Amino acid sequence: MIIGIPKEILERERRVAALPENVAAYVKMGFEVLVESTAGEGAFRSDDDYRQAGATVVDDVEDLFNRSDVILKVKQPYFNKKVGKHEADMIPEGRVLITFIHPATPSNHDMVRKLRDRNITALTMDSIPRTSRAQGMDCLTAMSTVSGYKAMLLAACHLPVFVPMMGTAVGVLKQAKVLAVGVGVVGLQAIATAKRLGADITAVDIRQDARMGAQSLGAKVAGFEVPVEVATGEGGYAKALSEEWLQKERDLLAPLLSEADVVVLSALVPGEAAPVLVTEEMVASMKPGSVIMDISIDQGGNCALTRPGEEYLYGRVLVSGLANIPGSVPVHSSWMYASSLAEYVKNLFKSGPGAMDLQDDIVGHSMVTHAGKIVHEGTLKAMNLA
């Protein structure tokens, strides 16, 4: 059974789905491993490193896809301009794809349908359940750590003002105000980084435990009481709110946005499209030079104006929808992602290469398409097929 590791083709994506040490582990399990030439160069791993680990390095990516039984990637399939084909069309029918798919995101629905129609068993790493057994496979948390940290640094670089309070010969310059909306792993890392930079931080989350976590890092908490059964779901993740509750949250956020220099948006519901919390009118009310970092863009975005993969000025406000922030920290990101993915593969092929354990609860949570059907609950809901 052959595992294929293609080079990632998303712009500015430098991660790789397997490092040489992971390849060696797959070979030990009994897999043959194909790696596209230069796939690891963004993480500073050479083709010779992969060869020494037991991989066969392949120059032709179409040949790699054709020969592989299991494709391991970092990001969802995209159109490959080099060969003029979509990656979803390059996977032979009936094969297996494991990657971040973000299947509930509307912009990915056509790709998901394509995987369904090609009878691909597609497994998404953004739907790993938050359980003790799945902890070592939870690469979404690992990538969120990178995103929260780097997003705040990127925002600081875009700002036309200092982040910390600064004493000068002509007076004191005030701290920049940072607003974190959604205080999961991304939000907490953004808060911690903003704190180190000296910002004045406010956090908003519908979950009481999340607000307490933000407060422990030095953020001021702004929020409203949402019943636990409405706000918090399985594993402590946020639940999807009704339109009535979403409007209450927007009403709370509007005055906070008008005062903020930086807004970090990371409010997500696992496996579902991101709730739209920031409207065009709210962005228009923000200060000139302020920055919105919409980290939830992989699942559609929390801001109505965010464009996937783009940074642009709306009036005098920078709206950032960078889709692969972890790709800018490729050494640590690749190590964390590849390690989690390797644990997932071991769990999927418990008896080694051959039959997959499709009855495993972790596999079931993360399955998007199988046997010509879309089976992912959040995707079916987003497509109005539930």
Side-chain angles (χ1 to χ4, degrees), residues 16 40-41 54 70 77 90 129 150 181 195 212 218 236 243 263 279 284 297 323 330 343 355:
V16 63
E41 69 176 2
V70 181
M90 293 163 66
K150 193 64 181 284
V181 181
K195 185 70 174 177
M212 291 174 63
E243 182 57 34
V263 179
T279 64
I297 190 58
E343 289 300 313

Side-chain angles (χ1 to χ4, degrees), residues 67-98:
R67 292 166 60 186
S68 299
D69 301 294
V70 181
I71 294 289
L72 303 183
K73 280 179 48 60
V74 179
K75 297 300 291 182
Q76 64 264 39
Y78 284 95
F79 184 80
N80 189 318
K81 296 177 183 178
K82 183 179 178 181
V83 299
K85 292 182 180 179
H86 198 286
E87 287 180 313
D89 290 322
M90 293 163 66
I91 306 172
E93 294 192 12
R95 305 293 171 84
V96 179
L97 169 68
I98 310 174

Side-chain angles (χ1 to χ4, degrees), residues 307-326:
R307 298 173 185 169
E310 292 187 33
E311 289 185 324
Y312 76 102
L313 283 172
Y314 176 81
R316 292 185 286 180
V317 177
L318 181 74
V319 181
S320 175
L322 294 180
N324 60 334
I325 290 176

Side-chain angles (χ1 to χ4, degrees), residues 210-231:
R211 293 197 295 269
M212 291 174 63
Q215 202 166 22
S216 72
L217 291 175
K220 293 176 289 187
V221 173
F224 57 100
E225 292 302 318
V226 182
V228 174
E229 65 274 14
V230 173

Side-chain angles (χ1 to χ4, degrees), residues 28-40:
K28 189 174 181 180
M29 286 175 65
F31 289 101
E32 182 181 343
V33 181
L34 307 180
V35 177
E36 184 181 356
S37 179
T38 73

